[in-house]
Amino acid sequence: MTVRSRAPFYAFVVLLIAAGISIATWRHIELGVPWMTGEQRPVWMIEARVDFVGQDEAAQISLHIPEQPPGFSILTEQAASPGYGFSIIETSGSRRAEWTKRDVSGPQTLYFKAQFVPDDSAGESARSRKPRPTPTFWEEPQATAVREVLRQANERSSSPESLTRELIRLLQPDSRTQNTTLLVADDNYLQLLVRMLNHAGIPARTADALKLEDARRRQQLMQFLQIHNGDRWLTFDPRTAEQGVPENLLLWRQGSESLLDVVGGDNSQVSFSMLRQTVPALQLATLEANKNGLGVLGFYQLPIEEQSMFRMLLLLPIGALIVAFMRIVIGVRTSGTFMPVLIAVAFVQTTLVPGLIAFLSVVAIGLLLRGYLSSLNLLLVSRISALIILVIFITAGLSIIGYQMGFNTGMTVTFFPMVIIAWTIERMSILWEEEGAREVMVQGSGSLFVAICAYLAMNTSLAGHLTFNFPELHLVVLGLILLMGQYTGYKLSELRRFTPMKAYD
């Protein structure tokens, strides 16, 4: 007799478990689906307000809006502009919100709102080609001063980043020399930095950013410096030479493109208000998945009715795992193999106490009626068919009585699987005749105990969350059930037989 190797089986089980955990981890990392229920994520609502005065003619207002700010992803965008046509114009490397109206006169106010989600994985959008330094021309004596300042910065640096930091430090008021004093003025400091860096062969530009503070109104953009180091754009604070974008900084505009253009109006200005909100992480992940076209990987695109059905069906593997563990490892005897799972599903619908009362009432009345059917010496098929009809009448009667007494829990009795209950009553009746009342009590109580355990596991909010949002975890459940199917050792309930051996120790 050849012994079949179990290595392929165990390899298959390990593959199932690894696949389930890996897919769930990918769904959590890439789609942002949270592991736990009730998780919240911060969302910044930014509102740009555009004010101008119409000149009794057609108006066109164009506002620069972010494309992909580093450290943030755009969740939603909308405009509040009654009477105006609105559209978002996208060109290569530029996005603008555009309002249009045929006749505009008097003071006007337009709003653009966007929700930004902090996202460490969000970076700068890819550019088609590497930027080149902008040619600059200097007149004397500024040309000589620029060469001398850049020479000092070059001697103290070894990369575009370090050169930028040194140049900012040299232009600070506390370290200025005769050359820097000649170059720097109060209104040209940032533009001077950009021109000098381009003159040194480093592509540089300005950037406008918002400092994020909760419940702030009428905020203005802050100017920052950006250079290209050959691979990507780097942001510097021109006041402190600090490199990088802080967490509370949102880059609204990057580059030399104008922030606001108004045709057909004057006295235009733009201000910003911001509000920090929190939204459920699951809701946010669903919105982002639908936006990215990955919503097909979940159940949220299905109709609500089908979602409710799947929420219940996806709990069944949890109940099956509990039943397999209780029967194979613990050794609890039940009436039927997976009858406890169906009872647990009914308990989820009815809640535990009303479900127990309804189940015991139906089974007790059914056993009494089954005794009468047994005295008629009917064939098995006829007896079971008659019992099903009687169970329906029993549940209907309990529902009516419960409703008349003011309890709506009786109405939920109809969730019980009628055919399974009828067959359970039949099996208990036969078991009563063959094994006696004690065995009926043992298996009946065992079924209820396992059903309650399965109900407690299935009814937790975490179980419902994981099974519905990470359906691939059922592969892990399947692997565990297959492993338990290979167990042929003693059940824990059988160990009591060895208790008398302790007397000989």
Side-chain angles (χ1 to χ4, degrees):
M1 179 178 178
T2 60
V3 179
R4 181 178 297 179
S5 174
R6 294 187 178 181
F9 168 78
Y10 289 119
F12 175 69
V13 170
V14 171
L15 183 63
L16 278 179
I17 296 175
I21 295 176
S22 299
I23 297 175
T25 304
W26 173 85
R27 191 186 296 271
H28 170 70
I29 295 175
E30 295 296 329
L31 302 184
V33 181
W35 291 118
M36 306 298 292
T37 60
E39 289 189 20
Q40 301 284 322
R41 288 189 60 186
V43 174
W44 285 97
M45 171 68 78
I46 308 296
E47 178 185 80
R49 172 174 172 167
V50 178
D51 294 290
F52 70 98
V53 178
Q55 297 178 335
D56 296 325
E57 60 182 75
Q60 177 177 329
I61 302 90
S62 177
L63 173 68
H64 179 88
I65 57 177
E67 179 182 10
Q68 186 177 328
F72 292 88
S73 58
I74 302 174
L75 183 61
T76 61
E77 293 177 318
Q78 59 182 343
S81 49
Y84 282 80
F86 176 79
S87 59
I88 294 180
I89 310 299
E90 298 191 20
T91 57
S92 57
S94 174
R95 296 176 75 241
R96 300 191 73 86
E98 185 175 280
W99 293 267
T100 54
K101 191 175 182 180
R102 177 65 62 183
D103 185 16
V104 178
S105 62
Q108 304 289 314
T109 302
L110 305 176
Y111 294 94
F112 176 81
K113 298 180 182 181
Q115 285 183 310
F116 295 89
V117 183
D119 186 1
D120 295 335
S121 62
E124 178 193 357
S125 58
R127 294 290 188 266
S128 58
R129 58 184 179 180
K130 180 181 176 181
R132 295 181 179 179
T134 303
T136 56
F137 174 77
W138 304 87
E139 295 182 351
E140 293 293 349
Q142 285 83 3
T144 301
V146 166
R147 287 194 297 270
E148 179 60 24
V149 173
L150 287 177
R151 183 190 63 80
Q152 297 180 27
N154 272 309
E155 291 178 352
R156 303 176 185 179
S157 63
S158 59
S159 63
E161 297 94 313
S162 59
L163 175 61
T164 303
R165 289 193 295 267
E166 292 301 324
L167 185 59
I168 293 174
R169 294 190 181 104
L170 287 174
L171 296 181
Q172 293 301 307
D174 57 353
S175 59
R176 287 179 186 174
T177 61
Q178 183 178 358
N179 290 322
T180 56
T181 303
L182 175 65
L183 295 170
V184 179
D186 293 336
D187 58 348
N188 75 337
Y189 171 66
L190 186 57
Q191 292 300 326
L192 176 65
L193 274 174
V194 172
R195 292 186 63 196
M196 292 182 69
L197 288 168
N198 279 282
H199 185 78
I202 302 174
R205 66 186 186 186
T206 59
D208 294 330
L210 282 171
K211 186 177 182 180
L212 299 178
E213 297 179 3
D214 190 20
R216 300 289 292 179
R217 301 175 63 249
R218 298 298 182 96
Q219 297 298 296
Q220 300 297 322
L221 295 172
M222 302 172 59
Q223 288 193 317
F224 285 78
L225 173 68
Q226 287 188 325
I227 67 165
H228 200 277
N229 65 350
D231 297 323
R232 57 193 178 95
W233 288 99
L234 303 176
T235 304
F236 290 84
D237 189 332
R239 295 160 288 274
T240 63
E242 182 178 354
Q243 180 180 338
V245 181
E247 293 182 358
N248 63 338
L249 202 69
L250 172 66
L251 293 179
W252 186 271
R253 183 184 67 90
Q254 303 178 72
S256 58
E257 186 180 0
S258 63
L259 175 64
L260 178 65
D261 293 328
V262 177
V263 178
D266 55 11
N267 297 329
S268 61
Q269 61 178 351
V270 58
S271 60
F272 297 87
S273 301
M274 60 200 69
L275 184 66
R276 187 182 187 273
Q277 303 170 323
T278 57
V279 299
L282 181 58
Q283 176 186 350
L284 187 59
T286 304
L287 291 174
E288 291 181 337
N290 293 333
K291 180 181 177 181
N292 298 332
L294 299 176
V296 294
L297 301 179
F299 293 100
Y300 288 98
Q301 63 175 351
L302 298 176
I304 299 298
E305 184 178 357
E306 294 187 20
Q307 289 187 37
S308 301
M309 179 189 67
F310 275 106
R311 282 185 184 276
M312 181 57 62
L313 289 179
L314 293 173
L315 288 174
L316 290 178
I318 302 297
L321 178 65
I322 297 297
V323 172
F325 178 78
M326 287 295 182
R327 287 180 60 92
I328 297 174
V329 179
I330 304 299
V332 179
R333 287 185 289 177
T334 62
S335 177
T337 306
F338 284 102
M339 177 63 186
V341 178
L342 300 177
I343 298 175
V345 171
F347 288 167
V348 171
Q349 298 284 349
T350 63
T351 68
L352 184 58
V353 175
L356 276 173
I357 295 174
F359 176 77
L360 293 176
S361 301
V362 172
V363 173
I365 298 174
L367 283 175
L368 293 176
L369 295 177
R370 168 59 177 79
Y372 172 73
L373 293 176
S374 180
S375 65
L376 298 178
N377 295 323
L378 298 176
L379 296 176
L380 177 63
V381 176
S382 297
R383 191 165 63 242
I384 293 296
S385 301
L387 197 56
I388 291 174
I389 297 174
L390 291 175
V391 167
I392 293 175
F393 276 108
I394 294 170
T395 54
L398 290 176
S399 298
I400 294 173
I401 294 173
Y403 180 78
Q404 294 297 329
M405 295 177 62
F407 300 101
N408 60 356
T409 54
M411 302 297 293
T412 57
V413 176
T414 54
F415 284 103
F416 281 101
M418 302 299 176
V419 177
I420 300 300
I421 288 184
W423 186 250
T424 299
I425 295 173
E426 174 69 18
R427 289 193 57 181
M428 285 186 174
S429 180
I430 295 175
L431 188 64
W432 192 307
E433 296 173 355
E434 296 179 351
E435 302 291 339
R438 182 180 181 277
E439 188 64 24
V440 173
M441 294 299 296
V442 169
Q443 293 192 14
S445 59
S447 297
L448 284 179
F449 173 73
V450 175
I452 292 173
C453 293
Y455 161 79
L456 294 176
M458 296 164 62
N459 197 49
T460 60
S461 57
L462 181 60
H465 172 78
L466 292 179
T467 54
F468 189 76
N469 295 287
F470 298 94
E472 53 276 352
L473 291 179
H474 288 94
L475 296 176
V476 179
V477 176
L478 176 60
L480 295 177
I481 292 176
L482 292 177
L483 284 178
M484 284 190 290
Q486 293 288 312
Y487 180 73
T488 57
Y490 286 109
K491 298 177 175 60
L492 294 181
S493 60
E494 295 176 335
L495 297 180
R496 62 182 179 180
R497 295 186 301 168
F498 301 97
T499 302
M501 297 181 63
K502 294 182 178 179
Y504 299 98
D505 291 346

